Amino acid sequence: MEDFLEQITRERDRIEAESLDPNYAFHSRGAIRRSTSSPSPNDFRSPFAHDTDRIIHSHAYARYMDKTQVFFQIKNDHITRRSLHVQMVSRIARTIGRCLRLNEDLIEAIAVGHDIGHTPFGHAGEHILGKLLQECHAGTFVHNAQSVRVLQYLEHDGQGCDLTLPVLDGILGHNGEQEQACYTYNPAHLTWETLEANLKRCFQEPGADKTVFPSTLEGCVVRVADMIAYLGKDFEDAVTLQIIAASDLPINIRRVLGDTNRDMVNTLCSDVIQQSYGRGMIAFSDHVFSAFRSMKAFNYERIYHCSFILAQRKKFDAMVRQLFAAYLDDLETGRDSSPVFDDFVARLPESYIKTTSNERIVADFIAGMTDQYFLKQYTQRFIPLSVDYDQTPGLCRLPHA
């Protein structure tokens, strides 16, 4: 059996060497981990396929299922959740990567892990946690850096997933909020020292994440695919929820990108592939990029900043602020019965407690929550208990005068 698996492994390496672009693709033989353990000679999975498996079997990945993408508390199973968005990014990125002869296993690992650090209620949670940490002079918060933090230092009771450097680099550099017409890469920046320095800056300096880019072309593909995945889908979700009408989309965008998510994804992917093939960069044509930016501006004005979203976000900000202060007080006063101890700190090594500020501990705890777990914790902490008189008379019995 071992001889057969060794043969499969050799065949896998041969196919990769022949099929991947020799100049621009990142080959699996260059993958390195923090651990010194060597792969088995009959290890039929590539190191990046290992990383994908480690990510999707993590607890943090399971929590994707109940995390908001854009729209809060929507009772409609067809509206995108974080878990679906991640799969869309993976599919789009792999399609582009295959056409450009890049490493699909590396692309998939970056894609499935890129939003692991996202908070409950999407970017609303990210923004309020960053603001609270800044007010406490305890750094800031961005989800791409938190994704690396979770996978490298918090998952598996603080042991981390021991992922390869190119995957962590791609996750940290995936910022999908900052569009560019062309993305280049610099493999010289692919070092553990650079990763740690960039991670530290992202947690200390507001806006530092906007200056961090992937060091591999595969990471650049995921960064572009992230934007392609949410642009048209968020538009269609907003139409479904009747926040906007399909006819609201400006004609100049429709003429270039189309007026459905399907058309937009196809147009953008086709353009990226044509503009990027064999060039060592990921690029859009000028006219498609102009329409892409107009579409993104339309989404921000009419969807992400619409009155419904802003009203919900204001409520959520107040809730996070209350829960953050409560957990911080629990840590400072040693209230061991608090969920921040029982459900979080107790599962992590003592070294985490000694080297992490209380503010960062609370941010780690809240960021890891699903939407429903957050609402449950808030309700238990701040909402008066509802008691049925007939079922629990002991709780309602008044003392004699």
Side-chain angles (χ1 to χ4, degrees):
M1 173 61 76
E2 289 192 2
D3 290 341
F4 175 72
L5 292 179
E6 287 183 31
Q7 180 181 342
I8 293 294
T9 302
R10 289 194 297 271
E11 180 68 4
R12 181 205 73 205
D13 293 340
R14 183 190 67 78
I15 292 173
E16 179 180 294
E18 292 178 356
S19 62
L20 296 188
D21 188 302
N23 298 314
Y24 304 124
F26 194 98
H27 292 245
S28 297
R29 64 176 179 270
I32 56 172
R33 302 184 191 278
R34 273 285 172 77
S35 67
T36 57
S37 58
S38 300
S40 167
N42 62 341
D43 190 349
F44 50 89
R45 287 177 294 172
S46 76
F48 302 131
H50 264 293
D51 284 358
T52 296
D53 291 342
R54 293 180 182 192
I55 293 169
I56 66 176
H57 285 92
S58 68
H59 287 159
Y61 186 87
R63 294 195 294 271
Y64 271 146
M65 291 293 187
D66 184 33
K67 289 205 175 190
T68 291
Q69 172 64 11
V70 173
F71 302 101
F72 307 164
Q73 295 293 94
I74 300 298
K75 304 298 183 182
N76 185 325
D77 293 337
H78 297 147
I79 299 302
T80 308
R81 306 289 290 172
R82 186 67 56 181
S83 56
L84 179 58
H85 166 72
V86 166
Q87 291 304 313
M88 290 174 175
V89 173
S90 178
R91 293 304 305 159
I92 291 169
R94 288 180 64 187
T95 296
I96 296 172
R98 185 181 305 118
C99 292
L100 299 181
R101 297 176 61 200
L102 301 178
N103 194 321
E104 287 186 61
D105 283 345
L106 172 54
I107 286 172
E108 183 177 29
I110 297 170
V112 299
H114 82 280
D115 273 355
I116 284 284
H118 243 305
T119 64
F121 299 98
H123 287 285
E126 177 180 29
H127 292 153
I128 187 60
L129 279 182
K131 186 174 182 179
L132 288 169
L133 287 170
Q134 291 171 43
E135 290 173 2
C136 296
H137 305 288
T140 190
F141 183 96
V142 285
H143 78 272
N144 50 322
Q146 187 70 12
S147 295
V148 174
R149 180 171 172 82
V150 169
L151 292 168
Q152 192 74 341
Y153 301 112
L154 299 181
E155 187 62 37
H156 296 311
D157 299 331
Q159 300 303 307
C161 296
D162 191 26
L163 302 182
T164 58
L165 176 59
V167 170
L168 295 172
D169 172 88
I171 290 173
L172 183 61
H174 87 263
N175 190 329
E177 300 306 304
Q178 188 180 23
E179 75 278 0
Q180 291 183 197
C182 178
Y183 293 88
T184 58
Y185 72 110
N186 189 343
H189 291 166
L190 192 63
T191 67
W192 288 109
E193 292 76 17
T194 300
L195 178 77
E196 291 297 338
N198 285 334
L199 187 63
K200 184 176 181 180
R201 284 200 307 116
C202 286
F203 281 127
Q204 290 183 343
E205 305 170 19
D209 60 304
K210 294 180 175 61
T211 68
V212 177
F213 295 87
S215 303
T216 66
L217 210 56
E218 287 81 359
C220 294
V221 167
V222 174
R223 182 165 173 147
V224 168
D226 186 20
M227 293 182 282
I228 294 174
Y230 72 67
L231 212 58
K233 195 65 175 70
D234 291 350
F235 170 74
E236 287 197 339
D237 284 349
V239 172
T240 298
L241 295 173
Q242 299 182 11
I243 292 174
I244 57 175
S247 57
D248 291 341
L249 190 64
I251 187 65
N252 63 307
I253 297 175
R254 279 187 274 163
R255 284 174 175 167
V256 178
L257 301 183
D259 56 5
T260 67
N261 180 52
R262 177 180 179 178
D263 289 341
M264 292 175 188
V265 170
N266 183 65
T267 299
L268 291 167
C269 287
S270 299
D271 188 69
V272 166
I273 292 166
Q274 291 182 58
Q275 298 298 316
S276 307
Y277 190 85
R279 298 180 62 194
M281 63 179 67
I282 303 300
F284 292 100
S285 63
D286 291 342
H287 76 287
V288 169
F289 182 66
S290 177
F292 173 82
R293 292 191 70 183
S294 296
M295 178 70 189
K296 188 177 176 185
F298 173 85
N299 277 13
Y300 267 88
E301 179 183 353
R302 298 296 302 278
I303 302 174
Y304 310 140
H305 293 164
C306 74
S307 58
F308 171 77
I309 293 290
L310 293 180
Q312 293 289 86
R313 179 172 168 177
K314 185 176 181 180
K315 296 175 186 177
F316 180 66
D317 283 1
M319 294 166 71
V320 174
R321 189 173 288 276
Q322 284 182 278
L323 207 53
F324 186 95
Y327 287 147
L328 190 58
D329 183 67
D330 291 344
L331 288 173
E332 292 173 349
T333 58
R335 192 172 293 119
D336 294 345
S337 60
S338 171
V340 73
F341 285 104
D342 290 345
D343 294 351
F344 186 64
V345 171
R347 301 179 182 181
L348 293 167
E350 187 177 349
S351 58
Y352 171 81
I353 309 298
K354 292 181 177 180
T355 60
T356 310
S357 69
N358 286 343
E359 293 85 359
R360 183 63 61 182
I361 291 173
V362 175
D364 285 341
F365 183 40
I366 292 178
M369 295 179 179
T370 62
D371 293 4
Q372 293 307 309
Y373 182 81
F374 176 90
L375 292 174
K376 177 183 176 182
Q377 293 303 314
Y378 183 86
T379 299
Q380 290 179 348
R381 191 81 181 222
F382 297 108
I383 305 299
L385 181 65
S386 177
V387 178
D388 190 305
Y389 181 87
D390 293 332
Q391 293 179 355
T392 54
L395 291 177
C396 300
R397 197 171 290 135
L398 295 174
H400 293 292

